[in-house]
Each structure stands twice: as structure tokens, then as C-alpha cells.
Amino acid sequence: MNDNLNNKNLAENIKQWGLDLGFDAVGISNIDFDHQKDLYQDWLSQGYQGEMQYLERHKNIKFDPKKLLDGAQSIISVRLDYLPLEKNTLDAIKQKDRAYIARYTLGRDYHKVLRNKLKQFVKKLESELQPREIKARVFTDSAPVLEVEAAKKSGLGWRGKHTLLLNKDHGSWFFLGEIYINQKLHEDKQDSDHCGTCSACIDICPTGAILGPYKLDARKCISYLTIEHKTSIPVEYRKKIGNRIYGCDDCQIICPWNKYAKLAREKDFHVKNNLDQISLIDCFELNEEQFKSLFQGSAIYRIGHEQWLRNVAVALGNAPKSEHVINVLKSRLESASDLLKEHILWAIEQHN
Ligand code: B12
Ligand code: SF4
């Protein structure tokens, strides 16, 4: 009984240290994910992962946390809110001459922000838990970790039908991160599902990527098509992409639970360079140097200039018809790679 109590107190202290470091929530779970294995394998068998072959390659590591940290016994999951803007409606997607960039990437690259914070958390654990020998490893979207499942098990929320983690008081506009640790810690209780009969996220998805509750065909998701998919964007999705040039938020914008989401406290996630207002033409006119300098320290940097232009070309094809847009598109034709040229020609065709 006393051991139990001590363990519970220790877990409470750990969670408080995480909150003191600026995380918005902290929860603890064990490392057993066997219940998800078949679902995950079924998903892969359908080919829903598209070009993200790492999801297949690393699947065994994903289900065995000890492969990432020898001696792992518990997972500490963290939530960090990123919502940078008060007004999150579908209006921004209707302004077809402006670019829509997913809300999670209007500020600094979250990988860097979360990693730094998680490392500080580990330092705190090492110093507070002495003389125990602490072995720990931090992750955020950087390794084969079942992040949503770990967070769900640790009581940070439930999985929405769009597959993201949702929280009753904070919606879903947040990142997840984890610490694998070689200590057996007191586990939190899982939250129950509060989606009920709502299917707003499934209905709103412009490309029908959410095939049914908890089942996403990534190959159709605009987030995948604009970020992870490196080759030609299938023509059938180009019109549906609208002005979304990096990521997509429709399934989160429409979710009723997101009316409870709070603005990010983390300043690094606030809008930089007016990216929420930028015009498609300004995006297309960036040369490689300007692209690199504008997106230094942002997750957008990683897609590179060519893929950026590919995405903007598609959005310009969906912009209101104008001679100016056609001229701007044509101005890049000569120097464009085959991949880009094909998207530019498609875009010009939409204006004729
Ligand atoms: C690959 C990936 C993507 C892919 C695929 C997304 C997906 N839903 O699978 C793409 C590129 C499309 C994507 C998009 C986005 N992503 Co992403 N992505 C990931 C990543 C790296 C891996 C997810 C994964 O393994 N997918 C494969 C599927 C099979 O795994 P799964 O979702 O866990 O699938 C389970 C369920 O579907 C369940 N299941 C299947 N059938 C059934 C049936 C029933 C009845 C039940 C109960 C369960 C169930 O079983 C599966 C196995 O576990 C994670 C980080 C990580 N390491 O976890 C971030 C992550 C999920 N993404 C994140 C974000 C923010 C996004 C975007 C919002 C970004 C944007 N604005 O554009 C969009 C949202 C799109 C969406 N609706 O999912 C965040 C989500 C935070 C949160 N609140 O949950 C994560 C956790 C990154 C992070 N560290 O914060 N992403
Ligand atoms: S992010 Fe957009 S495209 Fe992807 S599932 Fe959600 S609504 Fe559909």
C-alpha cells in the first residue's frame, strides 16, 4: 500500500515538473501496445501509407519500445498547445488568392521546440530521482513511436474519428512528445471517447481521406499530398487542394471540441512573417534563397523550394482566373524541373 502511494506521489511530482517546464499536460502509461498491432498491420496492408515507407519499415520497433530504449518500462507523454490564431474558421480556405498554411507550422519548427523542452525535462528527472540510475530517451514525431496511442493510454485525451488525439477542455490543436524511461511509474487512467454520433471531420474532408471512424487513407490526405508526397500530385486531388499549400486543418477546424482550444502559450508557435496572410503570388515569386531565409527554423524548410513551388502552382491553378496569375506562372516555366513544369502547365490550363 505504502509503495503504491509513494509511486503515485512520485508520478504526481513528475507531472508537476513537466507542467513547470511549460508543457500543457503530462501523463504516464506503460509500454504495451499489442492491442493495436493488428489494426496497424491492416492499415499497412491496404497501402494507406503511400510513399511513407518508414511506417512499414519501422513497425516492429514501434510496438516494442525496448528496441528504442533498452530497459524501457514507462512512457511519459506530454501535450504542447500550438494554436497561433484566435479565429480558426474555414474562411481562410475560401480566400483563393491567399495561401493556407496549416496552423501548426505558422511559427517555429515544433520538433526543435519540443525536443529542447523534453531534454530539460529529462535533466530534471535525473537530478530529482537520484540516486536512481535514470535511462531516458525523448521523441517527438522523430522516431517509430505510437504517439497518439501512448498519449491516449496516459489519459491526455481520446482518439477522434479523424485519428488525432482530442481533449475535452483543449480540443486537438496540440503536439505530442514522449519520454521513454527505465522506471516503472504509476500509470494514468485512459479517458473515454466523447465523439458520440458526430461525423463532422469525416464529412468535411475535401478529398474523402477519412474513410470511416479512425481510418485515414493517408494517400488522399492533403497534409500528406503537400508535405510527405514528393512526386507528382495526382490530378484528381488538385482542385480539391484549393489554396492549401502546406498541410490541412479542415478536420480540426470543423471539430466542435476545438471551441475549447486555447491559444498557444509557447511564443515560438506564434505566427511569423505574416504567414497567415501571405498571397499565393508572393509565395510563388520566392526564389530559392528567399525561400530558405524565410523558412529558416520552420518545418516548411524541409520540403525544399521545388516542392514548395509545386504546391503553390496547384493553388494558383485554383485561384480566381486572372491574366496576372497566368503570367506569374509562365515566368517560371523555362527554369522549372519536369515535375514543376507539369504542375505549372496544369495550373495555366485551369485559367484558360
Ligand atoms: C504519419 C503521420 C501523418 C500522416 C498519416 C496520418 C495518420 N492519421 O495516420 C499524414 C501525413 C497524413 C499526417 C497528417 C497530419 N498530422 Co501527422 N503524424 C504522423 C505520425 C508521424 C505517425 C502516425 C502513424 O503512425 N500513422 C499510421 C496509422 C496507422 O497509425 P495511427 O493513426 O496510430 O492508426 C491507428 C488508428 O487508426 C487505429 N485504428 C485503425 N482502425 C481502427 C478502428 C477502430 C474501431 C479503432 C478504435 C482504432 C482504429 O489503429 C491504428 C494503429 O495504431 C505521427 C507521429 C507519431 N510518431 O505518431 C504524426 C501526428 C499523428 N500528426 C500530427 C499532426 C498535427 C498532423 C496534422 C494535423 C498536420 C496538418 N495540419 O497537416 C495532419 C492531420 C491529418 C489526420 N487527420 O490525421 C500530430 C497529432 C497531434 C494530435 N493532436 O493528435 C502527431 C502525433 C505528431 C506530433 N508529435 O504531434 N500525419
Ligand atoms: S487533414 Fe484535411 S485532407 Fe487530411 S483528413 Fe483532415 S480534412 Fe481530410
Side-chain angles (χ1 to χ4, degrees):
M1 178 66 184
N2 264 348
D3 260 6
N4 256 347
L5 194 62
N6 283 341
N7 209 347
K8 208 170 172 184
N9 286 341
L10 174 62
E12 288 310 317
N13 285 341
I14 289 177
K15 288 190 267 179
Q16 188 56 50
W17 299 331
L19 296 178
D20 293 344
L21 281 168
F23 289 113
D24 290 300
V26 185
I28 297 173
S29 71
N30 62 32
I31 59 163
D32 176 17
F33 294 104
D34 282 352
H35 60 292
Q36 284 285 314
K37 251 185 184 164
D38 290 347
L39 290 168
Y40 192 87
Q41 187 51 53
D42 285 354
W43 189 83
L44 289 174
S45 315
Q46 303 291 329
Y48 294 151
Q49 68 279 23
E51 289 178 4
M52 298 181 294
Q53 278 139 9
Y54 64 90
L55 291 174
E56 166 94 56
R57 226 177 21 249
H58 297 156
K59 65 177 181 209
N60 293 332
I61 307 179
K62 240 177 175 172
F63 286 93
D64 187 0
K66 289 197 164 106
K67 288 202 163 89
L68 284 175
L69 178 79
D70 192 21
Q73 294 205 57
S74 306
I75 300 177
I76 304 171
S77 284
V78 299
R79 187 191 99 218
L80 191 61
D81 299 345
Y82 63 74
L83 192 62
L85 294 166
E86 204 76 70
K87 197 166 173 279
N88 290 288
T89 63
L90 294 168
D91 290 352
I93 296 150
K94 291 180 190 141
Q95 294 178 315
K96 298 281 186 222
D97 53 343
R98 287 222 188 129
Y100 185 86
I101 296 177
R103 310 288 84 164
Y104 83 95
T105 191
L106 291 171
R108 188 163 175 242
D109 189 346
Y110 68 99
H111 296 92
K112 297 179 205 244
V113 180
L114 261 102
R115 237 187 131 68
N116 288 342
K117 269 192 190 297
L118 284 165
K119 282 187 175 164
Q120 288 175 37
F121 198 170
V122 169
K123 280 212 176 103
K124 177 77 177 166
L125 293 170
E126 284 167 346
S127 80
E128 293 284 350
L129 300 181
Q130 279 180 36
R132 301 185 200 205
E133 201 203 322
I134 299 299
K135 281 213 281 177
R137 225 180 133 178
V138 306
F139 309 99
T140 179
D141 207 4
S142 54
V145 172
L146 287 161
E147 299 199 304
V148 174
E149 274 311 307
K152 180 178 143 192
K153 272 164 72 89
S154 73
L156 296 190
W158 74 97
R159 194 192 274 274
K161 291 179 185 172
H162 46 25
T163 77
L164 303 169
L165 198 80
L166 260 177
N167 180 290
K168 239 179 164 178
D169 303 313
H170 304 276
S172 64
W173 301 102
F174 53 77
F175 298 117
L176 296 171
E178 306 73 33
I179 300 174
Y180 282 11
I181 188 164
N182 67 337
Q183 304 291 312
K184 185 90 199 113
L185 302 173
H186 182 82
E187 294 164 29
D188 283 296
K189 280 205 185 79
Q190 213 169 290
D191 194 359
S192 46
D193 189 310
H194 299 281
C195 282
T197 55
C198 176
S199 62
C201 59
I202 301 177
D203 303 337
I204 193 83
C205 177
T207 51
I210 312 175
L211 306 179
Y214 325 107
K215 203 174 241 186
L216 179 102
D217 184 346
R219 295 169 303 180
K220 294 184 171 181
C221 176
I222 294 171
S223 182
Y224 166 82
L225 291 166
T226 53
I227 305 171
E228 305 294 335
H229 181 78
K230 306 294 171 199
T231 51
S232 172
I233 297 180
V235 174
E236 61 189 296
Y237 302 126
R238 291 187 191 173
K239 279 239 160 280
K240 293 172 180 161
I241 284 174
N243 63 346
R244 301 170 192 80
I245 60 164
Y246 190 97
C248 174
D249 287 326
D250 290 29
C251 47
Q252 298 197 85
I253 293 174
I254 204 72
C255 175
W257 289 106
N258 267 331
K259 62 173 173 274
Y260 303 112
K262 323 270 182 307
L263 284 183
R265 292 186 295 145
E266 175 58 65
K267 288 198 177 58
D268 273 339
F269 298 147
H270 293 177
V271 182
K272 289 204 168 53
N273 302 313
N274 288 325
L275 285 181
D276 59 322
Q277 300 289 331
I278 195 166
S279 78
L280 287 171
I281 289 190
D282 285 348
C283 291
F284 200 68
E285 284 181 336
L286 290 176
N287 64 31
E288 185 156 10
E289 221 171 279
Q290 291 164 328
F291 169 83
K292 284 185 174 164
S293 121
L294 186 68
F295 294 119
Q296 190 69 49
S298 147
I300 298 176
Y301 188 92
R302 283 180 296 130
I303 68 165
H305 188 232
E306 189 197 21
Q307 195 180 328
W308 168 261
L309 292 178
R310 179 201 68 174
N311 295 349
V312 182
V314 170
L316 279 172
N318 297 326
K321 282 190 189 199
S322 107
E323 229 13 77
H324 184 45
V325 169
I326 297 179
N327 291 334
V328 169
L329 283 163
K330 279 185 178 163
S331 71
R332 282 209 176 272
L333 263 180
E334 211 169 297
S335 57
S337 63
D338 287 349
L339 174 78
L340 180 57
K341 197 174 279 174
E342 183 243 313
H343 289 79
I344 294 178
L345 289 174
W346 176 86
I348 293 173
E349 213 179 288
Q350 311 313 305
H351 287 262
N352 288 332

